[in-house]
Amino acid sequence: MAFQHPRRRSILLATAAVSAAAAAPAAASETQGGRRGPLVIGHRGAAGWRPEHTASAYTFAVRAGADWIEPDLVPTKDHVLVVRHENEISGTTDVARHPGFAGRRTTKTVDGRAVTGWFTEDFTLAELKTLRAVERLPLVRNRNTVFDGREQIMTFQEVIDLARALSKEHGRRIAVFPETKHPTYFRSIGLPLEPQLVRAVRRNRLTARDCVVQSFEPSSLREVAAARLGLPLWQALGTGGGPYGHPVTYEEMRTPAGLREIASYARWIGPDKSSLAPPLTLLEDAHAAGLKVGAYTFRAENRYLPAEYRKGTAPDDFGEAFAEYAFHFGRGVDAVVTDFPDLAAIARDALRT
């Protein structure tokens, strides 16, 4: 068999996956209140195929079959919510190429960790709009770098507007799935996330079908709950340590008692997918506590797959991603958070064949 360059292989798979998703409108029409099947959540859009948190990434995700799209929320200096994976933006924008902003490079302590770079909270929205998004993982996803420099940083409001436009285009409701990033830190510097999030929900009259709010920090979710918005809340769970500034570990939160506590304020848990494999009983325990389970983060490259699903030795080649989806769908997860929503939608469609 002739050697196939991994970049070409990725492009060929992208073409095949999108074609298959387009040919299966029934799979693309599944929503949280619609036909049976686990939800497909576009992680930062479709981060496997486009620079994350861009309009093209979100649009790709929905057109490929995603039910929800995920924006991570961080504030600007003038307290506008924008969508970035982190408030430090040197890896996701071209800020380093702007000489006028060179003096804003600094070191800050965020959640107890020293971070050096450029931070959203030091820029107004107008200033951030002069930057352009770039691929966060250029050595892994070189194919995505062709899109570098083409799109602006989006506001949360722009993501809401896009979700509504895509809902109309596709005839199904697309939910937004915002995550409050570093909420304790932003509270400490006078730029709390939750009041702005609550205002956006009320201003746009978002319902439980339109929006689900997630955070790793329980205090952030409890603050949103106190606003009585009627939205489902999603407690994200890390693999080690615990939520910053909270006297509890993720291990304790994953116990039956911890899950019962989460169920007092949230409807979902979002654990790392590695936490759900037998002999671990987190999936069964969460369902017993009345919680839904959405696993993160599904990716197609070998470096992100468990050993049994890797194909070959090249870390950035695609492995047996469909087999991994089939395993977790078979176990009964309620949702998957994925960089490749097209592949997840195809795998979900296979459940009905």
Side-chain angles (χ1 to χ4, degrees):
M1 179 181 293
F3 172 77
Q4 190 174 76
H5 192 281
R7 284 178 60 189
R8 185 180 178 195
R9 184 174 165 200
S10 298
I11 293 168
L12 290 173
L13 181 52
T15 303
V18 175
S19 298
S29 298
E30 293 200 8
T31 65
Q32 66 227 62
R35 286 183 282 275
R36 294 173 55 193
L39 292 167
V40 171
I41 302 174
H43 186 230
R44 309 173 200 158
W49 300 126
R50 296 289 188 276
E52 63 191 33
H53 289 126
T54 58
S56 63
Y58 291 124
T59 300
F60 189 108
V62 173
R63 289 177 177 170
D67 303 298
W68 302 357
I69 51 176
E70 185 215 29
D72 294 329
L73 303 184
V74 293
T76 65
K77 185 177 182 178
D78 43 350
H79 213 177
V80 179
L81 296 182
V82 294
V83 298
R84 289 287 91 190
H85 173 51
E86 292 289 345
N87 54 323
E88 199 289 294
I89 55 173
S90 61
T92 59
T93 73
D94 62 357
V95 63
R97 300 179 186 174
H98 290 249
F101 295 141
R104 300 199 198 178
R105 189 174 187 271
T106 188
T107 299
K108 300 188 178 192
T109 300
V110 180
D111 293 357
R113 184 172 64 92
V115 183
T116 299
W118 289 264
F119 297 82
T120 60
E121 64 267 28
D122 296 332
F123 292 79
T124 65
L125 176 61
E127 290 172 329
L128 284 180
K129 283 292 188 179
T130 68
L131 307 181
R132 294 297 180 268
V134 301
E135 170 56 40
R136 186 174 66 89
L137 301 171
L139 299 181
V140 178
R141 294 169 176 168
N142 180 265
R143 61 186 174 271
N144 291 359
T145 62
V146 70
F147 301 105
D148 285 358
R150 298 182 63 85
E151 298 189 63
Q152 293 183 332
I153 293 177
M154 299 183 74
T155 65
F156 180 41
Q157 181 61 54
E158 288 170 336
V159 176
I160 294 170
D161 293 342
L162 179 60
R164 285 182 162 165
L166 290 169
S167 296
K168 185 176 295 185
E169 176 185 338
H170 293 275
R172 57 191 179 90
R173 192 178 300 237
I174 306 302
V176 292
F177 181 46
E179 178 184 347
T180 59
K181 300 288 290 190
H182 310 298
T184 294
Y185 166 75
F186 284 119
R187 221 172 285 129
S188 75
I189 63 170
L191 291 171
L193 300 170
E194 296 84 5
Q196 297 299 91
L197 172 58
V198 168
R199 289 188 188 99
V201 169
R202 287 177 171 155
R203 182 174 63 247
N204 290 279
R205 300 182 180 181
L206 300 180
T207 70
R209 295 183 62 197
D210 303 308
C211 183
V212 178
V213 178
Q214 65 167 323
S215 185
F216 282 90
E217 296 188 19
S219 60
S220 183
L221 293 178
R222 289 184 183 278
E223 188 162 336
V224 174
R228 299 183 181 278
L229 301 173
L231 300 182
L233 303 180
W234 172 304
Q235 177 63 63
L237 299 172
T239 55
Y244 181 75
H246 293 68
V248 64
T249 67
Y250 289 124
E251 183 177 2
E252 291 168 335
M253 295 174 77
R254 290 192 296 265
T255 64
L259 294 169
R260 288 193 295 273
E261 174 62 23
I262 291 171
S264 70
Y265 62 88
R267 190 175 302 176
W268 289 81
I269 61 165
D272 184 277
K273 60 185 180 177
S274 65
S275 303
L276 299 176
L280 301 175
T281 61
L282 177 58
L283 181 63
E284 294 81 2
D285 293 343
H287 283 161
L291 292 162
K292 294 184 176 181
V293 178
Y296 73 87
T297 300
F298 288 80
R299 299 178 169 104
E301 296 95 348
N302 280 326
R303 68 170 67 235
Y304 302 120
L305 291 169
E308 61 268 30
Y309 299 125
R310 295 172 193 160
K311 185 187 295 184
T313 58
D316 301 326
D317 275 8
F318 283 9
E320 300 289 354
F322 290 122
E324 185 182 34
Y325 286 119
F327 170 78
H328 285 280
F329 288 164
R331 292 267 296 142
V333 297
D334 302 292
V336 292
V337 181
T338 174
D339 283 4
F340 297 89
D342 48 348
L343 306 186
I346 294 168
R348 178 179 62 185
D349 196 39
L351 296 175
R352 294 190 297 274
T353 60

PDB file of all heavy atoms in Angstrom, residues 185-213:
ATOM      1  N   TYR A 185     -10.858  33.849  39.773  1.00  0.00           N
ATOM      2  CA  TYR A 185      -9.847  34.839  39.395  1.00  0.00           C
ATOM      3  C   TYR A 185     -10.501  36.119  38.890  1.00  0.00           C
ATOM      4  O   TYR A 185     -10.136  37.231  39.321  1.00  0.00           O
ATOM      5  CB  TYR A 185      -8.926  34.256  38.322  1.00  0.00           C
ATOM      6  CG  TYR A 185      -8.073  35.296  37.626  1.00  0.00           C
ATOM      7  CD1 TYR A 185      -6.964  35.854  38.264  1.00  0.00           C
ATOM      8  CD2 TYR A 185      -8.391  35.733  36.341  1.00  0.00           C
ATOM      9  CE1 TYR A 185      -6.193  36.828  37.633  1.00  0.00           C
ATOM     10  CE2 TYR A 185      -7.618  36.693  35.706  1.00  0.00           C
ATOM     11  CZ  TYR A 185      -6.528  37.239  36.353  1.00  0.00           C
ATOM     12  OH  TYR A 185      -5.767  38.193  35.724  1.00  0.00           O
ATOM     13  N   PHE A 186     -11.460  36.001  37.997  1.00  0.00           N
ATOM     14  CA  PHE A 186     -12.058  37.204  37.438  1.00  0.00           C
ATOM     15  C   PHE A 186     -12.878  37.958  38.476  1.00  0.00           C
ATOM     16  O   PHE A 186     -12.944  39.195  38.444  1.00  0.00           O
ATOM     17  CB  PHE A 186     -12.895  36.852  36.208  1.00  0.00           C
ATOM     18  CG  PHE A 186     -12.056  36.561  35.002  1.00  0.00           C
ATOM     19  CD1 PHE A 186     -12.103  35.315  34.394  1.00  0.00           C
ATOM     20  CD2 PHE A 186     -11.188  37.506  34.494  1.00  0.00           C
ATOM     21  CE1 PHE A 186     -11.313  35.027  33.297  1.00  0.00           C
ATOM     22  CE2 PHE A 186     -10.391  37.235  33.399  1.00  0.00           C
ATOM     23  CZ  PHE A 186     -10.454  35.988  32.797  1.00  0.00           C
ATOM     24  N   ARG A 187     -13.463  37.241  39.405  1.00  0.00           N
ATOM     25  CA  ARG A 187     -14.155  37.917  40.508  1.00  0.00           C
ATOM     26  C   ARG A 187     -13.165  38.744  41.324  1.00  0.00           C
ATOM     27  O   ARG A 187     -13.466  39.853  41.758  1.00  0.00           O
ATOM     28  CB  ARG A 187     -14.843  36.865  41.388  1.00  0.00           C
ATOM     29  CG  ARG A 187     -16.237  37.237  41.859  1.00  0.00           C
ATOM     30  CD  ARG A 187     -16.903  36.065  42.562  1.00  0.00           C
ATOM     31  NE  ARG A 187     -17.349  35.045  41.627  1.00  0.00           N
ATOM     32  CZ  ARG A 187     -17.077  33.749  41.726  1.00  0.00           C
ATOM     33  NH1 ARG A 187     -16.340  33.305  42.732  1.00  0.00           N
ATOM     34  NH2 ARG A 187     -17.527  32.911  40.823  1.00  0.00           N
ATOM     35  N   SER A 188     -11.962  38.192  41.494  1.00  0.00           N
ATOM     36  CA  SER A 188     -10.957  38.852  42.345  1.00  0.00           C
ATOM     37  C   SER A 188     -10.417  40.140  41.728  1.00  0.00           C
ATOM     38  O   SER A 188      -9.894  40.995  42.450  1.00  0.00           O
ATOM     39  CB  SER A 188      -9.797  37.893  42.628  1.00  0.00           C
ATOM     40  OG  SER A 188      -8.951  37.752  41.491  1.00  0.00           O
ATOM     41  N   ILE A 189     -10.518  40.294  40.400  1.00  0.00           N
ATOM     42  CA  ILE A 189     -10.008  41.512  39.762  1.00  0.00           C
ATOM     43  C   ILE A 189     -11.140  42.438  39.323  1.00  0.00           C
ATOM     44  O   ILE A 189     -10.920  43.372  38.547  1.00  0.00           O
ATOM     45  CB  ILE A 189      -9.085  41.180  38.572  1.00  0.00           C
ATOM     46  CG1 ILE A 189      -9.839  40.444  37.460  1.00  0.00           C
ATOM     47  CG2 ILE A 189      -7.883  40.367  39.033  1.00  0.00           C
ATOM     48  CD1 ILE A 189      -9.035  40.301  36.171  1.00  0.00           C
ATOM     49  N   GLY A 190     -12.334  42.172  39.818  1.00  0.00           N
ATOM     50  CA  GLY A 190     -13.449  43.071  39.555  1.00  0.00           C
ATOM     51  C   GLY A 190     -14.116  42.904  38.211  1.00  0.00           C
ATOM     52  O   GLY A 190     -14.827  43.808  37.746  1.00  0.00           O
ATOM     53  N   LEU A 191     -13.928  41.731  37.582  1.00  0.00           N
ATOM     54  CA  LEU A 191     -14.569  41.447  36.290  1.00  0.00           C
ATOM     55  C   LEU A 191     -15.328  40.117  36.372  1.00  0.00           C
ATOM     56  O   LEU A 191     -15.049  39.179  35.626  1.00  0.00           O
ATOM     57  CB  LEU A 191     -13.519  41.384  35.183  1.00  0.00           C
ATOM     58  CG  LEU A 191     -12.830  42.694  34.800  1.00  0.00           C
ATOM     59  CD1 LEU A 191     -11.671  42.412  33.842  1.00  0.00           C
ATOM     60  CD2 LEU A 191     -13.815  43.680  34.180  1.00  0.00           C
ATOM     61  N   PRO A 192     -16.297  40.033  37.275  1.00  0.00           N
ATOM     62  CA  PRO A 192     -17.014  38.757  37.431  1.00  0.00           C
ATOM     63  C   PRO A 192     -17.746  38.357  36.159  1.00  0.00           C
ATOM     64  O   PRO A 192     -18.306  39.200  35.454  1.00  0.00           O
ATOM     65  CB  PRO A 192     -17.986  39.036  38.580  1.00  0.00           C
ATOM     66  CG  PRO A 192     -18.201  40.511  38.536  1.00  0.00           C
ATOM     67  CD  PRO A 192     -16.877  41.098  38.114  1.00  0.00           C
ATOM     68  N   LEU A 193     -17.734  37.062  35.888  1.00  0.00           N
ATOM     69  CA  LEU A 193     -18.357  36.549  34.677  1.00  0.00           C
ATOM     70  C   LEU A 193     -19.867  36.402  34.804  1.00  0.00           C
ATOM     71  O   LEU A 193     -20.616  36.638  33.845  1.00  0.00           O
ATOM     72  CB  LEU A 193     -17.753  35.183  34.330  1.00  0.00           C
ATOM     73  CG  LEU A 193     -16.247  35.135  34.076  1.00  0.00           C
ATOM     74  CD1 LEU A 193     -15.781  33.688  33.988  1.00  0.00           C
ATOM     75  CD2 LEU A 193     -15.901  35.889  32.804  1.00  0.00           C
ATOM     76  N   GLU A 194     -20.306  35.964  35.966  1.00  0.00           N
ATOM     77  CA  GLU A 194     -21.695  35.532  36.115  1.00  0.00           C
ATOM     78  C   GLU A 194     -22.714  36.654  35.876  1.00  0.00           C
ATOM     79  O   GLU A 194     -23.738  36.411  35.197  1.00  0.00           O
ATOM     80  CB  GLU A 194     -21.910  34.897  37.494  1.00  0.00           C
ATOM     81  CG  GLU A 194     -21.123  33.622  37.714  1.00  0.00           C
ATOM     82  CD  GLU A 194     -19.685  33.881  38.183  1.00  0.00           C
ATOM     83  OE1 GLU A 194     -19.350  35.072  38.416  1.00  0.00           O
ATOM     84  OE2 GLU A 194     -18.917  32.914  38.324  1.00  0.00           O
ATOM     85  N   PRO A 195     -22.519  37.874  36.404  1.00  0.00           N
ATOM     86  CA  PRO A 195     -23.532  38.906  36.136  1.00  0.00           C
ATOM     87  C   PRO A 195     -23.703  39.201  34.647  1.00  0.00           C
ATOM     88  O   PRO A 195     -24.836  39.391  34.176  1.00  0.00           O
ATOM     89  CB  PRO A 195     -22.985  40.131  36.887  1.00  0.00           C
ATOM     90  CG  PRO A 195     -22.123  39.563  37.967  1.00  0.00           C
ATOM     91  CD  PRO A 195     -21.489  38.348  37.360  1.00  0.00           C
ATOM     92  N   GLN A 196     -22.588  39.217  33.907  1.00  0.00           N
ATOM     93  CA  GLN A 196     -22.691  39.470  32.473  1.00  0.00           C
ATOM     94  C   GLN A 196     -23.362  38.308  31.741  1.00  0.00           C
ATOM     95  O   GLN A 196     -24.130  38.506  30.794  1.00  0.00           O
ATOM     96  CB  GLN A 196     -21.295  39.718  31.887  1.00  0.00           C
ATOM     97  CG  GLN A 196     -20.591  40.949  32.441  1.00  0.00           C
ATOM     98  CD  GLN A 196     -21.362  42.224  32.165  1.00  0.00           C
ATOM     99  OE1 GLN A 196     -22.188  42.637  32.978  1.00  0.00           O
ATOM    100  NE2 GLN A 196     -21.116  42.841  31.025  1.00  0.00           N
ATOM    101  N   LEU A 197     -23.073  37.100  32.190  1.00  0.00           N
ATOM    102  CA  LEU A 197     -23.720  35.920  31.604  1.00  0.00           C
ATOM    103  C   LEU A 197     -25.220  35.953  31.870  1.00  0.00           C
ATOM    104  O   LEU A 197     -26.034  35.712  30.958  1.00  0.00           O
ATOM    105  CB  LEU A 197     -23.090  34.652  32.184  1.00  0.00           C
ATOM    106  CG  LEU A 197     -23.746  33.316  31.834  1.00  0.00           C
ATOM    107  CD1 LEU A 197     -23.804  33.103  30.325  1.00  0.00           C
ATOM    108  CD2 LEU A 197     -23.005  32.170  32.506  1.00  0.00           C
ATOM    109  N   VAL A 198     -25.605  36.244  33.093  1.00  0.00           N
ATOM    110  CA  VAL A 198     -27.025  36.314  33.443  1.00  0.00           C
ATOM    111  C   VAL A 198     -27.732  37.386  32.615  1.00  0.00           C
ATOM    112  O   VAL A 198     -28.842  37.173  32.100  1.00  0.00           O
ATOM    113  CB  VAL A 198     -27.189  36.579  34.953  1.00  0.00           C
ATOM    114  CG1 VAL A 198     -28.639  36.949  35.293  1.00  0.00           C
ATOM    115  CG2 VAL A 198     -26.744  35.368  35.764  1.00  0.00           C
ATOM    116  N   ARG A 199     -27.086  38.550  32.457  1.00  0.00           N
ATOM    117  CA  ARG A 199     -27.689  39.614  31.645  1.00  0.00           C
ATOM    118  C   ARG A 199     -27.893  39.157  30.198  1.00  0.00           C
ATOM    119  O   ARG A 199     -28.917  39.450  29.585  1.00  0.00           O
ATOM    120  CB  ARG A 199     -26.806  40.867  31.687  1.00  0.00           C
ATOM    121  CG  ARG A 199     -26.810  41.585  33.029  1.00  0.00           C
ATOM    122  CD  ARG A 199     -26.085  42.925  32.951  1.00  0.00           C
ATOM    123  NE  ARG A 199     -25.935  43.508  34.275  1.00  0.00           N
ATOM    124  CZ  ARG A 199     -24.833  43.445  35.011  1.00  0.00           C
ATOM    125  NH1 ARG A 199     -23.750  42.829  34.536  1.00  0.00           N
ATOM    126  NH2 ARG A 199     -24.792  43.982  36.208  1.00  0.00           N
ATOM    127  N   ALA A 200     -26.901  38.454  29.665  1.00  0.00           N
ATOM    128  CA  ALA A 200     -27.018  37.987  28.278  1.00  0.00           C
ATOM    129  C   ALA A 200     -28.161  36.994  28.136  1.00  0.00           C
ATOM    130  O   ALA A 200     -28.916  37.037  27.147  1.00  0.00           O
ATOM    131  CB  ALA A 200     -25.701  37.353  27.839  1.00  0.00           C
ATOM    132  N   VAL A 201     -28.307  36.100  29.099  1.00  0.00           N
ATOM    133  CA  VAL A 201     -29.393  35.117  29.052  1.00  0.00           C
ATOM    134  C   VAL A 201     -30.742  35.819  29.090  1.00  0.00           C
ATOM    135  O   VAL A 201     -31.652  35.514  28.304  1.00  0.00           O
ATOM    136  CB  VAL A 201     -29.257  34.115  30.217  1.00  0.00           C
ATOM    137  CG1 VAL A 201     -30.506  33.251  30.342  1.00  0.00           C
ATOM    138  CG2 VAL A 201     -28.012  33.236  30.023  1.00  0.00           C
ATOM    139  N   ARG A 202     -30.869  36.788  29.984  1.00  0.00           N
ATOM    140  CA  ARG A 202     -32.147  37.493  30.098  1.00  0.00           C
ATOM    141  C   ARG A 202     -32.410  38.368  28.874  1.00  0.00           C
ATOM    142  O   ARG A 202     -33.548  38.413  28.366  1.00  0.00           O
ATOM    143  CB  ARG A 202     -32.150  38.336  31.377  1.00  0.00           C
ATOM    144  CG  ARG A 202     -32.288  37.480  32.640  1.00  0.00           C
ATOM    145  CD  ARG A 202     -32.216  38.315  33.893  1.00  0.00           C
ATOM    146  NE  ARG A 202     -32.563  37.509  35.071  1.00  0.00           N
ATOM    147  CZ  ARG A 202     -32.154  37.768  36.308  1.00  0.00           C
ATOM    148  NH1 ARG A 202     -31.383  38.827  36.533  1.00  0.00           N
ATOM    149  NH2 ARG A 202     -32.509  36.985  37.305  1.00  0.00           N
ATOM    150  N   ARG A 203     -31.388  39.041  28.401  1.00  0.00           N
ATOM    151  CA  ARG A 203     -31.555  39.932  27.248  1.00  0.00           C
ATOM    152  C   ARG A 203     -32.008  39.157  26.006  1.00  0.00           C
ATOM    153  O   ARG A 203     -32.826  39.635  25.218  1.00  0.00           O
ATOM    154  CB  ARG A 203     -30.234  40.649  26.975  1.00  0.00           C
ATOM    155  CG  ARG A 203     -30.299  41.647  25.821  1.00  0.00           C
ATOM    156  CD  ARG A 203     -28.997  42.430  25.714  1.00  0.00           C
ATOM    157  NE  ARG A 203     -27.848  41.591  25.404  1.00  0.00           N
ATOM    158  CZ  ARG A 203     -26.840  41.357  26.242  1.00  0.00           C
ATOM    159  NH1 ARG A 203     -26.829  41.897  27.457  1.00  0.00           N
ATOM    160  NH2 ARG A 203     -25.824  40.584  25.873  1.00  0.00           N
ATOM    161  N   ASN A 204     -31.482  37.955  25.866  1.00  0.00           N
ATOM    162  CA  ASN A 204     -31.804  37.140  24.697  1.00  0.00           C
ATOM    163  C   ASN A 204     -32.943  36.158  24.944  1.00  0.00           C
ATOM    164  O   ASN A 204     -33.292  35.383  24.054  1.00  0.00           O
ATOM    165  CB  ASN A 204     -30.559  36.371  24.254  1.00  0.00           C
ATOM    166  CG  ASN A 204     -29.499  37.268  23.667  1.00  0.00           C
ATOM    167  OD1 ASN A 204     -29.562  37.656  22.500  1.00  0.00           O
ATOM    168  ND2 ASN A 204     -28.503  37.639  24.482  1.00  0.00           N
ATOM    169  N   ARG A 205     -33.498  36.186  26.168  1.00  0.00           N
ATOM    170  CA  ARG A 205     -34.607  35.313  26.539  1.00  0.00           C
ATOM    171  C   ARG A 205     -34.284  33.844  26.247  1.00  0.00           C
ATOM    172  O   ARG A 205     -35.092  33.105  25.672  1.00  0.00           O
ATOM    173  CB  ARG A 205     -35.900  35.741  25.823  1.00  0.00           C
ATOM    174  CG  ARG A 205     -36.329  37.160  26.167  1.00  0.00           C
ATOM    175  CD  ARG A 205     -37.622  37.551  25.493  1.00  0.00           C
ATOM    176  NE  ARG A 205     -38.020  38.910  25.845  1.00  0.00           N
ATOM    177  CZ  ARG A 205     -39.121  39.518  25.411  1.00  0.00           C
ATOM    178  NH1 ARG A 205     -39.955  38.869  24.599  1.00  0.00           N
ATOM    179  NH2 ARG A 205     -39.396  40.747  25.774  1.00  0.00           N
ATOM    180  N   LEU A 206     -33.105  33.442  26.684  1.00  0.00           N
ATOM    181  CA  LEU A 206     -32.674  32.063  26.471  1.00  0.00           C
ATOM    182  C   LEU A 206     -33.375  31.140  27.451  1.00  0.00           C
ATOM    183  O   LEU A 206     -33.471  31.436  28.646  1.00  0.00           O
ATOM    184  CB  LEU A 206     -31.157  31.941  26.632  1.00  0.00           C
ATOM    185  CG  LEU A 206     -30.301  32.784  25.683  1.00  0.00           C
ATOM    186  CD1 LEU A 206     -28.822  32.550  25.962  1.00  0.00           C
ATOM    187  CD2 LEU A 206     -30.632  32.486  24.225  1.00  0.00           C
ATOM    188  N   THR A 207     -33.841  30.008  26.954  1.00  0.00           N
ATOM    189  CA  THR A 207     -34.538  29.029  27.771  1.00  0.00           C
ATOM    190  C   THR A 207     -33.660  27.805  27.970  1.00  0.00           C
ATOM    191  O   THR A 207     -32.531  27.729  27.470  1.00  0.00           O
ATOM    192  CB  THR A 207     -35.852  28.607  27.101  1.00  0.00           C
ATOM    193  OG1 THR A 207     -35.539  27.811  25.939  1.00  0.00           O
ATOM    194  CG2 THR A 207     -36.671  29.817  26.671  1.00  0.00           C
ATOM    195  N   ALA A 208     -34.202  26.823  28.656  1.00  0.00           N
ATOM    196  CA  ALA A 208     -33.475  25.578  28.892  1.00  0.00           C
ATOM    197  C   ALA A 208     -33.173  24.837  27.601  1.00  0.00           C
ATOM    198  O   ALA A 208     -32.275  23.988  27.567  1.00  0.00           O
ATOM    199  CB  ALA A 208     -34.274  24.681  29.839  1.00  0.00           C
ATOM    200  N   ARG A 209     -33.882  25.125  26.550  1.00  0.00           N
ATOM    201  CA  ARG A 209     -33.605  24.504  25.250  1.00  0.00           C
ATOM    202  C   ARG A 209     -32.532  25.252  24.473  1.00  0.00           C
ATOM    203  O   ARG A 209     -32.005  24.741  23.490  1.00  0.00           O
ATOM    204  CB  ARG A 209     -34.889  24.427  24.418  1.00  0.00           C
ATOM    205  CG  ARG A 209     -35.959  23.512  25.002  1.00  0.00           C
ATOM    206  CD  ARG A 209     -37.160  23.454  24.077  1.00  0.00           C
ATOM    207  NE  ARG A 209     -36.791  22.887  22.772  1.00  0.00           N
ATOM    208  CZ  ARG A 209     -37.528  23.016  21.672  1.00  0.00           C
ATOM    209  NH1 ARG A 209     -38.645  23.724  21.700  1.00  0.00           N
ATOM    210  NH2 ARG A 209     -37.141  22.460  20.535  1.00  0.00           N
ATOM    211  N   ASP A 210     -32.241  26.478  24.913  1.00  0.00           N
ATOM    212  CA  ASP A 210     -31.292  27.324  24.194  1.00  0.00           C
ATOM    213  C   ASP A 210     -29.912  27.376  24.817  1.00  0.00           C
ATOM    214  O   ASP A 210     -28.941  27.712  24.136  1.00  0.00           O
ATOM    215  CB  ASP A 210     -31.809  28.772  24.140  1.00  0.00           C
ATOM    216  CG  ASP A 210     -33.171  28.900  23.517  1.00  0.00           C
ATOM    217  OD1 ASP A 210     -33.352  28.391  22.403  1.00  0.00           O
ATOM    218  OD2 ASP A 210     -34.055  29.509  24.152  1.00  0.00           O
ATOM    219  N   CYS A 211     -29.810  27.088  26.111  1.00  0.00           N
ATOM    220  CA  CYS A 211     -28.558  27.358  26.814  1.00  0.00           C
ATOM    221  C   CYS A 211     -28.386  26.426  28.004  1.00  0.00           C
ATOM    222  O   CYS A 211     -29.322  26.211  28.787  1.00  0.00           O
ATOM    223  CB  CYS A 211     -28.541  28.813  27.297  1.00  0.00           C
ATOM    224  SG  CYS A 211     -27.012  29.332  28.119  1.00  0.00           S
ATOM    225  N   VAL A 212     -27.184  25.875  28.140  1.00  0.00           N
ATOM    226  CA  VAL A 212     -26.765  25.093  29.299  1.00  0.00           C
ATOM    227  C   VAL A 212     -25.439  25.688  29.754  1.00  0.00           C
ATOM    228  O   VAL A 212     -24.538  25.899  28.937  1.00  0.00           O
ATOM    229  CB  VAL A 212     -26.594  23.606  28.950  1.00  0.00           C
ATOM    230  CG1 VAL A 212     -26.097  22.812  30.160  1.00  0.00           C
ATOM    231  CG2 VAL A 212     -27.897  23.016  28.422  1.00  0.00           C
ATOM    232  N   VAL A 213     -25.318  25.987  31.040  1.00  0.00           N
ATOM    233  CA  VAL A 213     -24.121  26.659  31.560  1.00  0.00           C
ATOM    234  C   VAL A 213     -23.240  25.654  32.278  1.00  0.00           C
ATOM    235  O   VAL A 213     -23.719  24.868  33.104  1.00  0.00           O
ATOM    236  CB  VAL A 213     -24.509  27.792  32.529  1.00  0.00           C
ATOM    237  CG1 VAL A 213     -23.259  28.461  33.113  1.00  0.00           C
ATOM    238  CG2 VAL A 213     -25.369  28.834  31.804  1.00  0.00           C
TER     239      VAL A 213
END
